[in-house]
Amino acid sequence: MKILVTYDMFREGFTELESKYEVTLPEGRDFTYEEVFEMIPEYDVLCSMLDFPVNKELIDHAPKLRLIANYGVGYNNIDVAYALEKGLTVANTPDPVTAPTANLALGLMLDTARRITECDRKLRTLGKDMKIGMLENLGMPVTGQTLGIIGMGRIGKALAKRANALGMDVIYHKRRQLCIDDETKLNVTYVSKEELLAKADFVSLNAPYTPDTYHIIGEEELKLMKPSAILINTARGPLVDEHALVKALREGTIHGAGLDVFEFGDYPLPELLEMDNVVLTPHIGTQTTETRIIMARTVCNNVIGFLEGDRPVSRVLRP
Ligand code: GLV
């Protein structure tokens, strides 16, 4: 069995896999698409990650391939429909992603509302010229406010628990409403997308990126939001029409945004960098040492479980 890993990773995450199989891992950098394309015909398993495209062309060039084990909960980098049609198994790593991503969403909410990064930046850059006083740097309350979560999967639920602990009201929207038991346990109320946008003080996107969720927040949706509302995106950039967001922030259609992901790749539109009411992080939702290692171990568990049947595999069942 030959296993190809496309990304550079803490080696300890792959110890068990390396003790059992022939594993090719890059060092100090990720493999390029061209390198993987060249190597893939020899491999049985491909361990990919979120920004590595596993497309038809690559799958068609991989006669031995049986498993695509993605690093991450999201799998929009993979042509899942085609992979499944070709009889391949696709796996992902939802468990270790949940808590750190919900924590970052909460961090962006608090930061944007209470202007933490903005104040830090002003203290550093303006020093004693920064205006300080009882009526300066006023923020938004968080406790007692309404959080609207779009996409109530694992991360949405984890965020709802955190928001409840802060004394927030939580409303949510997703394709299928949760059962009453889950809603009661989580203390959340199902509403239409329109009602959510109109009522929420914070709107958090926690849905996967699919053709249905592309630009789930665009000009129309931003207009439905309160002028005091804050948009949080820790899911995938293309869920938000970033040009429309820039316009809405400029014109005061909404108050602020906390973004960990951007529509056009690794960096935000330059206009966002100029705005004090926006907090930006470069896709760090799972960026802790522990999470990196646990996610790698989860990838290995998926691979070993698939090859040996001795442990559960987190299978992606549909695109
Ligand atoms: C992170 O973005 C993930 O998909 O796990």
Side-chain angles (χ1 to χ4, degrees):
M1 283 295 156
K2 289 185 73 175
I3 296 161
L4 177 59
V5 181
T6 67
Y7 47 89
D8 189 25
M9 184 44 59
F10 295 121
R11 223 36 191 246
E12 58 197 285
F14 281 94
T15 317
E16 189 182 3
L17 200 62
E18 288 195 281
S19 72
K20 288 174 178 269
Y21 300 104
E22 190 184 327
V23 183
T24 307
L25 274 148
E27 268 191 46
R29 65 177 183 90
D30 297 342
F31 282 136
T32 63
Y33 178 80
E34 289 69 29
E35 287 170 329
V36 172
F37 191 81
E38 184 105 332
M39 291 186 273
I40 196 70
E42 299 301 313
Y43 287 85
D44 306 277
V45 174
L46 176 66
C47 299
S48 50
M49 66 172 277
L50 49 98
D51 60 356
F52 186 90
V54 185
N55 51 27
K56 283 196 177 88
E57 181 199 37
L58 190 77
I59 293 171
D60 283 341
H61 199 58
K64 294 188 178 166
L65 194 61
R66 293 169 57 202
L67 170 68
I68 303 164
N70 214 40
Y71 186 99
V73 64
Y75 42 80
N76 52 290
N77 57 310
I78 302 172
D79 189 338
V80 174
Y82 192 64
L84 297 181
E85 189 187 311
K86 287 278 164 186
L88 303 182
T89 295
V90 179
N92 68 344
T93 63
D95 283 346
V97 169
T98 304
T101 308
N103 290 343
L104 186 78
L106 182 63
L108 289 173
M109 283 168 58
L110 293 170
D111 192 336
T112 315
R114 299 303 311 276
R115 306 171 66 171
I116 299 171
T117 301
E118 180 191 342
C119 284
D120 175 90
R121 186 168 52 239
K122 286 184 174 162
L123 271 176
R124 289 166 198 264
T125 54
L126 301 176
K128 296 211 165 127
D129 289 335
M130 180 181 174
K131 240 178 152 189
I132 294 176
M134 296 268 278
L135 298 178
E136 302 297 332
N137 307 305
L138 296 169
M140 303 276 187
V142 176
T143 297
Q145 293 213 294
T146 299
L147 166 65
I149 298 178
I150 296 185
M152 191 55 110
R154 294 166 194 248
I155 298 171
K157 288 177 184 162
L159 180 60
K161 287 185 194 156
R162 285 153 175 76
N164 272 318
L166 287 175
M168 301 184 82
D169 289 328
V170 183
I171 55 180
Y172 77 97
H173 182 74
K174 76 187 293 249
R175 260 181 317 174
R176 272 184 295 270
Q177 185 172 354
L178 298 178
C179 66
I180 298 288
D181 256 15
D182 280 356
E183 287 190 347
T184 310
K185 265 188 228 144
L186 288 165
N187 193 19
V188 297
T189 307
Y190 180 81
V191 290
S192 68
K193 185 175 139 190
E194 290 68 29
E195 188 177 345
L196 182 146
L197 294 170
K199 283 196 173 157
D201 299 298
F202 295 84
V203 173
S204 176
L205 304 181
N206 298 103
Y209 176 30
T210 66
D212 288 342
T213 59
Y214 174 73
H215 283 190
I216 198 169
I217 299 293
E219 196 174 343
E220 288 311 306
E221 288 75 16
L222 289 160
K223 278 191 193 144
L224 292 178
M225 289 170 68
K226 294 183 183 178
S228 55
I230 291 174
L231 176 70
I232 304 296
N233 188 6
T234 53
R236 287 291 184 268
L239 268 61
V240 176
D241 177 344
E242 206 168 293
H243 287 290
L245 177 63
V246 166
K247 186 163 176 276
L249 288 164
R250 267 202 186 133
E251 294 175 358
T253 312
I254 68 166
H255 172 72
L259 307 173
D260 187 44
V261 285
F262 311 114
E263 183 172 4
F264 306 105
D266 290 341
Y267 298 94
L269 287 175
E271 292 91 327
L272 292 169
L273 298 171
E274 307 298 322
M275 296 179 180
D276 273 335
N277 49 342
V278 177
V279 178
L280 303 162
T281 50
H283 204 160
I284 59 167
T286 55
Q287 203 91 318
T288 76
T289 307
E290 288 74 12
T291 307
R292 284 280 158 270
I293 294 168
I294 297 169
M295 284 173 75
R297 288 205 185 118
T298 308
V299 168
C300 296
N301 281 336
N302 281 336
V303 175
I304 298 167
F306 173 80
L307 295 174
E308 301 183 17
D310 65 341
R311 60 195 85 178
V313 177
S314 171
R315 286 171 200 263
V316 175
L317 299 175
R318 65 186 83 80

